[in-house]
Amino acid sequence: MTQFVKLQVLEFPVSSDVQWAVASPHLTSCLLPARHAFSVREGGVSEGPFASLNLGFATGDVRARVNENLRRFASALNVPPGSLITVSQVHGDRLLEATAPQDGDEVPPPLGEADGVWTRTAGLAVGVKTADCVPILISDAAGRCVAAVHSGWRGTDLRISARAVETLAVQGVEPASLVAAIGPCIGACCYEVSEELAFRFERAFGAEVVRRDRPKPHLDLPRAVRLTLVAAGVRPDRIDVLDACTACDPARFFSHRRDRGISGRHLSAIVAGK
Ligand SMILES: [Zn+2]
């Protein structure tokens, strides 16, 4: 039951320095009230295992290409590159607030070490990088206070998505008014885990987050994230879950596990409205 739609065309700013004029294939959720995008592989200049819209520097791609890809993604979000704020992800449960854009025609370096970033500054985009881990975009009902969260198994175990809900609640945003979209990540179909990790998740989240219909257990991370959001007060009908597995779909998605570490990174980002 997904409400994600594949957009054929996003709106582009009419500006002479925007060189990207092709239709954007990025994924969006029609539930989220703020401008946002979950990137897919299409639409970039990287080659080989990074083809084509690799948005991460950490796995060995050519820097200039990643920078061009980042500029394109910012353009798809209709924000200047300096307004696309990311963090240096460390599989923890901390969130940082992004408060100001940076100058220059490149996407700025990460704000700091964290696995979530939020903002209430209009026009600022906050994003997280993933290639199998779960990206979550969250917004208040008005689209003014937004967050992006990176949740791998460690972050999910630490319930970082609940930390994001709490962080926004401190700003006066009622959890029941939030809208969340869980983006492309590795599905239970492909996420084989150790018995130890499976037990740990069953204990913490219930039997439904582990599939045991094959010889080795398989973890359902997006389900654990969804349960976490609901326990934190987000209404189930305000949580969208993309029915896609990064490891199953090499044409659309990078996958750290499938590609044995030599893979690109997706960026999922959301823009705070006025
Ligand atoms: Zn799969």
Side-chain angles (χ1 to χ4, degrees):
M1 198 185 69
T2 174
Q3 300 189 40
F4 273 92
V5 290
K6 182 180 177 180
L7 282 192
Q8 297 305 315
V9 182
L10 277 179
E11 290 171 27
F12 291 95
V14 182
S15 156
S16 59
D17 47 57
V18 174
Q19 290 156 26
W20 192 32
V22 294
S24 163
H26 303 311
L27 296 161
T28 61
S29 163
C30 49
L31 277 190
L32 273 180
R35 205 173 341 134
H36 68 283
F38 295 92
S39 80
V40 292
R41 290 187 76 154
E42 246 177 276
V45 296
S46 293
E47 293 175 358
F50 309 113
S52 63
L53 193 76
N54 170 33
L55 296 163
F57 295 105
T59 49
D61 195 3
V62 179
R63 247 193 124 71
R65 288 183 184 153
V66 180
N67 275 323
E68 171 60 18
N69 292 341
L70 284 166
R71 277 192 293 272
R72 290 179 179 204
F73 187 68
S75 167
L77 284 166
N78 203 0
V79 296
S83 293
L84 176 50
I85 310 300
T86 60
V87 284
S88 185
Q89 299 168 195
V90 291
H91 294 281
D93 68 349
R94 205 159 82 101
L95 285 92
L96 295 176
E97 182 185 3
T99 54
Q102 298 204 4
D103 293 333
D105 60 354
E106 286 192 355
V107 169
L111 195 59
E113 286 194 352
D115 289 272
V117 52
W118 68 279
T119 190
R120 53 193 161 170
T121 304
L124 218 50
V126 289
V128 289
K129 295 178 184 182
T130 56
D132 288 344
C133 291
V134 189
I136 305 126
L137 299 179
I138 303 174
S139 174
D140 68 352
R144 293 197 189 102
C145 196
V146 298
V149 176
H150 157 252
S151 190
W153 77 257
R154 287 186 187 83
T156 305
D157 193 37
L158 292 167
R159 298 176 198 262
I160 184 173
S161 42
R163 300 293 92 76
V165 172
E166 291 158 11
T167 301
L168 300 185
V170 169
Q171 302 306 313
V173 182
E174 282 290 321
S177 73
L178 290 174
V179 180
I182 297 173
C185 61
I186 192 165
C189 44
C190 293
Y191 195 25
E192 183 182 302
V193 295
S194 67
E195 276 296 344
E196 187 192 359
L197 196 60
F199 275 134
R200 182 165 165 173
F201 270 80
E202 280 168 336
R203 259 202 326 271
F205 297 92
E208 63 185 291
V209 302
V210 175
R211 264 172 55 175
R212 290 189 174 278
D213 52 351
R214 282 180 284 172
K216 295 260 181 74
H218 285 64
L219 183 56
D220 192 335
L221 271 187
R223 185 171 290 217
V225 168
R226 191 175 184 284
L227 288 169
T228 303
L229 288 166
V230 171
V234 184
R235 281 170 40 183
D237 63 342
R238 287 175 171 251
I239 303 172
D240 205 356
V241 183
L242 176 58
D243 186 18
C245 169
T246 45
C248 277
D249 193 345
R252 270 206 303 176
F253 302 119
F254 298 115
S255 168
H256 174 76
R257 178 170 281 217
R258 181 193 67 224
D259 300 333
R260 296 164 191 272
I262 310 297
S263 189
R265 289 290 178 274
H266 295 291
L267 191 46
S268 301
I270 185 163
V271 187
K274 287 196 177 88

